[in-house]
């Protein structure tokens, strides 16, 4: 047999000793996670970034065989290759939700994460970026325009040609996928593009593995098809100079079909480790289908520990301990230089936490020349095969036949060049995005505050003190729609308009609600509503403004929600983490924007990890009160323990008869059905809870404490259903009162809204909190320029979520995220700029503008406090 020094067998793996300062720094046992290599920076050596995965397993339910993953996490750990030390990172910003079976790729000194699956289902298809530049670790969510790959798990992703982010295959919860998508990281605005490559296309699969070669080839390997059968094939995806993409079937004989394995390139050699066969069973049995193997893409052959693979019946020495160490699945792998690192995984029902390493093998090996010929490269493309080298193997210099594991210098040089190019392209993209956003310089948050306020936990820390985070999360209004519009953080000191409030208009007219009998509910009505309306990224108002529900369906929706509200307490007892929303006033587009930017209540969103609380005023003023209230009621029915609604002053017939809701019902549903639906909604409003306590430290209400409310018990004693005209002064204060203009005005003062209404000073807030052992009041009811406003030295926050109120205020909208440690983070959106198209080409905008203009003429909005006021009659509705 001839010696072929350029065909090296698959390397042996050994345990790598690593270190950490505290148990929290150690990644521990897990599977379904990712391990991503990040190039060295000026201040840091090369690192491995470990993210997510499942940290526990459970037995199959109901005596069923198999296991279930549990303890899914979003924690992140960094391994310093030079010091061999693990450290848990706590980056600033909002992290991705806990997930496993996701995908990750390095872009310069950043790591991009996408997809996966969590305890409640699919994670969103948002791109989350962990920025490790300059040691200021931060999370960003990338704004991508248009349709993307969609939520999926068990897919693959990597950076191709140091520029193109490519994701392939996976499972979207309905079917196994075969599609391929690409995002150009050097082209703004960022857009996912679905590929239609030429050549031999791979079949639909999930739990495959993929890695990008330094010269730009993306190699897809193995996986499991829709029937659960493991696959053994491999395909290369390459972009030609003319911009066309092409799939090419990889040559050679794969050692075994497998899925839930790991693969990573070192030079031209793809190192494949572990895997599973049917039902999650770790690969075992014949050594030819166990352990690790290599696809040498330069030679077009597969190799295992014995050398060249010619069939799937080859045997290997059973005494080789490295084979046993590789019998695992759902592990993670990465490469730095010529080293391949493997962490964790699953072996049978055992969750692994070991850390293994191997070097790209340089042994001389005797191979069968006839076997080599049978594995010769082949291609179905007239172009040069991506699995061949421009230089012949014999041109390479021979290495001594010894046990020394040397370095592949050519591979190292290529990798160094690729890493430098990646960093250059990525930094240019991100710097231009930051310059476009014109945002103030960001600074990293302290370790104690850097975790997301939405982090999930088994319980809530009721001993924590309530704190307002020193920075708010903002989406820049001038950069909506591109990467420059990513969420950013601003110091609260920069909100110069925070104290500028607007007084909503209203009137006091009585219009008693009707009583009517229950009708039978069609099955799945609330799911139909959620499916139709919960579209954070692509919801568009109906062109003809016709509402998609009839009065019969409205009645059934109200009945189902009413049954839930009837069994809730008047003051809800809630746990953190929780998102709090202020007034929406029929501005459904703003609700969708808030859901899109900061998460939405769905199994594809974050409902499993965080609750939602809405503080009232769902209807009136805006153009889409029907969409707003019906979606919130449908979400309440779908998630009764996680979505919470309390009553605002506009959830009353005598108010919403004047300020748009009644008119909207009639115009969009017809006079008869519209009046009936409006009446039924108002009957439901009488059952809404009136306040909420979060961790018994934060009280949330719509209006305020006024002159009469001194204890939470007074609110709890209000019996529902209750109408405004039948309510006491406690209800009036709860829904209508406001704080005084600033902290210097104490006591009780008359309220400009009208006779009988009051404003309360900071002394009242301090006294109320002290009496009830509370630390904060969160209320809505007033439009504020920055979406939130502090009062009484931070003991009260006013929250308003609708932007550009009444089409004239130009205010921002905000939500408050109350974290597990009771740290409160404001999150803002700015008003959208006017559309580029003319009113003539946008009939729905003409309708919306006409609606707003007519309503403003009849019920003029209050001028923003602090601005010059027009000379209106002081008795007009603008001052009531």
């Amino acid at each position: 047999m001839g010696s072929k020094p350029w065909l090296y067998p698959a390397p042996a793996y050994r345990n790598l000793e690593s270190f950490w300062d505290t148990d929290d720094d150690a990644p521990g046992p897990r599977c379904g996670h990712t391990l991503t290599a990040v190039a060295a920076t000026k201040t840091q050596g090369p690192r491995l970034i470990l993210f997510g995965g499942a940290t526990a397993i459970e037995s199959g339910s109901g005596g069923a065989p198999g296991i279930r993953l549990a303890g899914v996490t979003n924690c992140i750990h960094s391994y310093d290759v030079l010091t061999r030390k693990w450290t848990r990172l706590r980056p600033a910003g909002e992290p991705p939700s806990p997930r496993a079976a996701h995908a990750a790729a390095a872009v310069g000194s950043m790591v991009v994460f996408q997809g996966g699956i969590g305890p409640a289902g699919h994670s969103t298809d948002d791109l989350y970026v962990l920025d490790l530049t300059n040691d200021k670790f931060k999370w960003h969510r990338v704004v991508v325009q248009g349709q993307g790959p969609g939520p999926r798990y068990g897919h693959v992703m990597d950076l191709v040609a140091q520029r193109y982010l490519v994701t392939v295959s996976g499972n979207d919860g309905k079917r196994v996928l075969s599609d391929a998508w690409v995002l150009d990281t050097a082209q703004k605005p960022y857009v996912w593009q679905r590929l239609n490559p030429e050549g031999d296309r791979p079949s639909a699969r999930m739990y495959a593995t993929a890695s990008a070669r330094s010269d730009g080839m993306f190699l897809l390997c193995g996986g499991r098809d829709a029937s659960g059968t493991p696959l053994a094939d491999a395909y290369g995806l390459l972009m030609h100079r003319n911009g066309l993409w092409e799939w090419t079937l990889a040559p050679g004989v794969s050692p075994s079909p497998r899925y839930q394995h790991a693969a990573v390139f070192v030079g031209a050699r793809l190192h494949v480790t572990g895997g599973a066969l049917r039902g999650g069973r770790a690969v075992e049995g014949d050594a030819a289908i166990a352990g690790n193997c290599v696809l040498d893409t330069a030679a077009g052959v597969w190799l295992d520990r014995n050398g060249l693979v010619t069939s799937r019946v080859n045997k290997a020495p059973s005494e080789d301990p490295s084979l046993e160490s590789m019998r695992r699945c759902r592990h993670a792998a990465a490469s730095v230089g010529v080293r391949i690192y493997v962490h964790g995984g699953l072996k049978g029902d055992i969750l692994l936490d070991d850390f293994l390493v191997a070097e790209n093998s340089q042994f001389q090996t005797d191979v069968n020349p006839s076997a080599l010929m049978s594995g010769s490269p082949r291609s179905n493309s007239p172009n040069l095969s991506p699995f061949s080298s421009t230089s012949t193997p014999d041109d390479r210099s021979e290495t001594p036949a010894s046990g020394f594991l040397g370095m592949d210098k050519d591979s190292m040089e290529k990798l160094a060049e690729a890493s430098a190019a990646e960093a250059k392209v990525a930094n240019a993209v991100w710097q231009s995005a930051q310059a476009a956003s014109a945002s103030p310089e960001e600074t990293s948050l302290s370790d104690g505050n850097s975790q997301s306020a939405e982090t999930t936990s088994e319980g809530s820390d009721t001993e924590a003190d309530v704190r307002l985070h020193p920075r708010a999360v903002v989406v820049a209004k001038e950069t909506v729609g591109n990467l420059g519009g990513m969420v950013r953080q601003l110091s609260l000191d920069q909100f110069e308009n925070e104290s500028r409030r607007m007084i909503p208009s209203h009137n006091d007219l009585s219009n008693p609600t009707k009583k009517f009998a229950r009708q039978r509910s069609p099955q799945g009505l609330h799911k139909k509503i959620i499916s139709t309306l919960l579209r954070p990224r692509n919801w568009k108002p109906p062109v003809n403004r016709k509402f998609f529900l009839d009065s019969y369906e409205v009645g059934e929706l109200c009945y189902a929600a009413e049954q839930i509200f009837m069994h809730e307490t008047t003051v809800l007892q809630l746990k953190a983490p929780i998102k709090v929303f202020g007034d929406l006033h029929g501005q459904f587009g703003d609700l969708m924007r808030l859901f899109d930017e900061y998460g939405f209540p769905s199994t594809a969103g974050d409902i499993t990890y965080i609750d939602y609380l809405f503080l009232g005023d769902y209807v009136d003023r805006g153009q889409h009160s029907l969409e707003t209230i019906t979606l919130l009621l449908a979400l309440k029915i779908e998630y009764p323990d996680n979505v919470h609604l309390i009553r605002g002053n506009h959830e009353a017939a005598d108010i919403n008869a004047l300020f748009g809701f009644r008119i909207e019902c009639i115009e969009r549903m017809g006079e008869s059905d519209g009046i009936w639906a409006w009446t039924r909604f108002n009957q439901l409003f009488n059952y809404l809870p009136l306040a909420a306590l979060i961790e018994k430290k934060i009280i949330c209400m719509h209006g305020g404490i006024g002159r009469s409310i001194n204890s939470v018990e007074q609110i709890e004693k209000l019996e529902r259903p209750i109408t405004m005209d039948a309510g006491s002064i406690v209800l009036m204060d709860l829904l209508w009162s406001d704080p005084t203009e600033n902290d210097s005005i104490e006591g009780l003062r008359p309220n400009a809204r009208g006779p009988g209404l009051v404003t309360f000073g900071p002394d009242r807030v301090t006294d109320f909190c002290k009496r009830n052992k509370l630390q904060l009041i969160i209320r809505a009811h007033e439009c504020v320029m920055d979406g939130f406003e502090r009062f009484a030295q931070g003991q009260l926050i006013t929250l308003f979520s609708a932007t550009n109120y009444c089409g004239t205020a130009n205010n921002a909208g905000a939500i408050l995220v109350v974290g597990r440690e009771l740290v409160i983070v404001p999150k803002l959106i700015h008003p959208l700029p006017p559309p580029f198209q003319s009113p003539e080409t946008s009939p729905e905008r003409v309708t919306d503008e006409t609606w707003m203009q007519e309503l403003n003429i009849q019920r003029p909005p209050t001028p923003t406090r602090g601005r010059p006021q027009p000379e209106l009659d002081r008795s007009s509705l603008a001052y009531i």
Side-chain angles (χ1 to χ4, degrees), residues 10-13 258 272-274 290-294 303-305 322-323 326:
Y13 285 77
R258 63 182 75 196
V272 181
T273 55
N292 56 311
C293 57
V294 168
L303 304 108
D304 62 9
R305 290 285 298 129
S322 67
L323 295 178
M326 280 294 101

Side-chain angles (χ1 to χ4, degrees), residues 477 497 502 783-786 802-813 830-832 864 867:
K477 62 180 177 181
N497 290 323
M502 294 177 57
C783 180
V784 289
M785 284 304 297
D786 288 315
T803 67
N804 195 24
Y805 182 48
C806 293
T808 61
N810 200 33
N811 63 286
H830 284 287
L832 287 175
T864 305
R867 294 180 178 177

Side-chain angles (χ1 to χ4, degrees), residues 148-377:
R152 61 180 65 196
Y153 68 98
H155 56 306
V156 291
M157 182 176 71
D158 207 350
L159 190 72
V160 173
Q162 295 85 50
R163 175 171 177 174
Y164 300 98
L165 199 62
V166 174
T167 184
V168 176
S169 69
N171 189 317
D172 65 358
K174 299 178 182 178
R175 64 189 184 280
V176 179
L177 305 169
S178 62
D179 55 351
W181 295 76
V182 63
L183 183 145
D184 188 349
T185 63
Q187 183 67 43
K188 294 192 301 181
Y190 295 94
V191 179
W192 279 111
Q193 177 186 354
R194 182 163 183 168
L195 295 179
N196 187 25
E198 300 176 347
D200 295 326
R201 302 186 183 187
S203 59
R205 64 192 65 205
M206 62 186 294
Y207 293 132
T209 189
S211 183
R213 201 167 65 180
S214 59
D215 64 355
M217 187 188 70
F218 179 93
L219 199 140
L220 178 71
C221 174
R224 188 178 75 189
D225 66 14
S227 66
T229 303
L231 303 171
D233 51 5
Y235 294 81
L237 179 64
L238 193 67
M239 188 182 76
H240 297 293
R241 292 184 178 181
N242 60 5
L244 297 179
W245 294 76
E246 181 182 10
W247 281 112
T248 303
L249 181 66
V253 180
S254 169
S256 71
R258 63 182 75 196
Y259 65 97
Q260 293 177 345
H261 49 308
V264 62
F265 266 111
V266 176
R269 288 162 56 95
L270 182 76
H271 292 259
V272 181
T273 55
L277 290 171
R278 301 187 188 279
R281 180 167 56 88
V283 175
E284 52 189 340
D286 290 344
I289 64 169
N292 56 311
C293 57
V294 168
L295 172 59
D296 191 326
T297 59
V301 295
W302 284 90
L303 304 108
D304 62 9
R305 290 285 298 129
N306 293 319
L308 187 68
V309 176
T310 58
S311 70
R312 297 193 181 115
V313 295
N314 288 359
K315 299 288 183 179
S318 58
E319 63 270 15
D320 189 345
S322 67
L323 295 178
E324 185 63 26
S325 68
M326 280 294 101
R327 288 187 178 133
R328 65 184 65 208
C329 63
R330 304 191 188 207
H331 52 293
S335 66
V336 176
V338 297
R339 288 193 169 192
I340 307 100
Y341 297 85
V342 173
H343 179 272
L346 194 63
K347 184 175 183 180
D349 58 355
I350 300 175
L351 209 56
L352 303 174
D353 67 344
D354 53 354
F355 193 34
L356 308 176
V357 67
E359 283 82 14
N360 192 34
S361 184
Q362 300 279 304
F363 289 114
Q364 287 187 359
T365 306
D366 289 335
V367 295
N368 188 332
S370 62
L372 177 60
M373 292 300 295
S374 67
S376 61

